[in-house]
Amino acid sequence: MDHIKQDKLRASLSLDLDNEWSYLKIQGNSRWESLPTYFPVFIPYVLELFKRLQLNVTFFIVGQDLTIPENIPYLKKIIEEGHSVANHSMNHESWLSAYSEEQLFHEVYETDSLIRKHLECKPIGFRGPGYSWNPKLIRILREQNYVYDSSVLPTFIGPIARWYYFKKSGLGREEQKKRKNFFGKFSDGFKKNKPFHLNGDGRKLIEIPVTTMPVFRLPFHLSYLIYMHGYSPFLMNTYLEIVIRLCKTFRIEPNFLIHPLDLIGGDQLASLDFFPGMDIDSNKKTKVFYKVITTLQTHFRLMSLDSYVLELIAEGRMTID
Ligand SMILES: [Zn+2]
């Protein structure tokens, strides 16, 4: 029995804590500049949900949110509930791939200092906004004692997702140009779907890509599953079963990504009710989440992304220098 338990693959969970203003910023809506926050509604809601499912999750936090005093007690609750926090950049700008070394340093360092100051812990993971990544990050992250990055989405459909997003948003040509790598490049589909080492300037960092469907490289994060569920619950269940089967065949331990709007609807966040998918109410989204999580639980040992990386290191499967 013990042997079977040991053999069970793991799956890691993380949530990108994009706030109300970052969603507005992504859309090119100038209302973002006053930094509206939905943490007082969202954080207690999501913590209760995770508690009921006994989940341990790594929350990727945007530094800018730690400059708003109103947010601090809510962010502290995440730590008090036993979850971990990681770095999701300072300004949540999806054109991070075009940043200079100095700008990148600022994006990582400012958030890191704010997390240490207000939440009294040291993040070990980083994720770029909108799957944007920059090779200069390897050295910058290692110098600040980061262990892993989790920005890569190995899918071919990034350019299609971007085209759709531009079409739906009110962004002008200049704004679109800035976001030209948003959702990644076609070649990202050839990147590894399993943890790998990134090497840069003699430094080594661990990359944990956001898992996509093995072989076909289609997205598998919660937003995509919710979207499918809108068409047909049967389609989503079948898709989920196929992804799980393929992951087990190829011994891929899924890195499962959650976004706030996957869990909460326009019924609770009226200010974002014009967003795609916000017409689905929170109850329905929660039901889909329960279904996905309980299915994953029967096949994998679920844990936070931070714990997963630390286990890989402890087992000697991944190393840092
Ligand atoms: Zn984000």
Side-chain angles (χ1 to χ4, degrees), residues 25-49:
K25 192 174 183 177
I26 286 171
Q27 263 221 332
N29 183 327
S30 61
R31 206 158 61 77
W32 80 264
E33 285 159 20
S34 61
L35 300 177
T37 177
Y38 57 44
F39 286 177
V41 178
F42 178 71
I43 294 181
Y45 173 78
V46 75
L47 289 178
E48 181 55 36
L49 180 62

Side-chain angles (χ1 to χ4, degrees), residues 16 18 88 92 129-130 259:
D16 285 359
D18 301 335
H88 194 32
H92 205 271
H259 279 101

Side-chain angles (χ1 to χ4, degrees), residues 245-305:
R245 203 164 300 167
L246 285 169
C247 281
K248 289 169 95 170
T249 306
F250 293 99
R251 308 228 19 108
I252 290 170
E253 300 191 303
N255 171 15
F256 190 68
L257 169 61
I258 303 159
H259 279 101
L261 302 192
D262 302 337
L263 303 174
I264 198 161
D267 53 316
Q268 291 201 62
L269 300 178
S271 57
L272 288 175
D273 64 357
F274 58 91
F275 249 79
M278 288 306 273
D279 50 334
I280 308 169
D281 72 34
S282 308
N283 261 341
K284 194 161 178 197
K285 287 184 174 179
T286 308
K287 261 192 197 150
V288 179
F289 183 63
Y290 262 80
K291 169 72 193 165
V292 174
I293 288 297
T294 47
T295 310
L296 286 173
Q297 261 164 346
T298 56
H299 297 276
F300 304 100
R301 282 191 290 132
L302 301 188
M303 60 183 67
S304 74
L305 184 53

Side-chain angles (χ1 to χ4, degrees), residues 15-68:
L15 182 140
D16 285 359
L17 194 57
D18 301 335
N19 203 346
E20 184 170 344
W21 64 266
S22 21
Y23 279 104
L24 295 167
K25 192 174 183 177
I26 286 171
Q27 263 221 332
N29 183 327
S30 61
R31 206 158 61 77
W32 80 264
E33 285 159 20
S34 61
L35 300 177
T37 177
Y38 57 44
F39 286 177
V41 178
F42 178 71
I43 294 181
Y45 173 78
V46 75
L47 289 178
E48 181 55 36
L49 180 62
F50 289 171
K51 194 190 257 173
R52 262 186 283 146
L53 280 160
Q54 293 181 299
L55 300 178
N56 227 286
V57 178
T58 297
F59 285 69
F60 282 84
I61 294 183
V62 179
Q64 187 72 262
D65 282 316
L66 285 151
T67 64
I68 306 167

